[in-house]
Amino acid sequence: QVQLVESGGGLVQAGDSLRLSCAASGRSFNNCAMGWFRQAPGKEREFVAAITWNGGSTDYADSVKGRFTISRDNAKNTVYLQMNSLKPDDTALYYCVADSRTFFGVHLSHAKDNYDKWGQGTQVTVSS
């Protein structure tokens, strides 16, 4: 069974940092784009960051650019999201995603429908 399992969420204060991890099991996603989305209470799920299969290209939502960094370790089948200078507006459930239908792609999508594998999410809460 293919799974994406997120970890690393928690309760922090504004200005703090967190690193989220997403471990893939059941198959390798080393040839697929992966990323992160988030959903705050009462809001739509939104794109946060994505990375190509080899880490050669990354993309970020404007709201996190310069504060968040996505990376991956294909030897560990794991993707990371380093989040610095956290703000209360970053409070959300963070989902790891993979586009398992496109191999060795060079383009990164912000659209939810382009990612067919989703984790269960990890909660990030930032207090002011």
Side-chain angles (χ1 to χ4, degrees):
Q1 183 180 1
V2 176
Q3 278 190 309
L4 297 175
V5 180
E6 304 95 336
S7 62
L11 171 63
V12 297
Q13 294 188 328
D16 285 351
S17 298
L18 276 177
R19 188 174 84 153
L20 305 183
S21 299
C22 171
S25 63
R27 60 154 282 185
S28 170
F29 289 95
N30 292 348
N31 53 8
C32 303
M34 297 187 71
W36 294 89
F37 280 71
R38 68 185 182 186
Q39 187 167 19
K43 294 188 177 180
E44 291 198 359
R45 200 168 293 190
E46 64 175 2
F47 171 81
V48 176
I51 187 167
T52 50
W53 67 278
N54 61 351
S57 181
T58 58
D59 196 13
Y60 299 91
D62 288 343
S63 59
V64 306
K65 209 170 286 185
R67 299 187 298 121
F68 290 11
T69 302
I70 188 171
S71 62
R72 65 191 299 163
D73 184 342
N74 283 347
K76 296 182 179 179
N77 220 14
T78 300
V79 174
Y80 305 97
L81 185 68
Q82 177 67 42
M83 306 185 294
N84 298 330
S85 303
L86 283 161
K87 305 175 181 179
D89 283 349
D90 295 318
T91 295
L93 189 61
Y94 283 72
Y95 296 92
C96 176
V97 299
D99 175 9
S100 72
R101 298 168 294 192
T102 304
F103 302 129
F104 307 112
V106 297
H107 298 294
L108 295 170
S109 172
H110 290 209
K112 297 189 295 292
D113 291 346
N114 279 86
Y115 299 93
D116 61 310
K117 301 299 182 187
W118 290 72
Q120 293 299 306
T122 185
Q123 179 67 37
V124 173
T125 304
V126 184
S127 64
S128 57

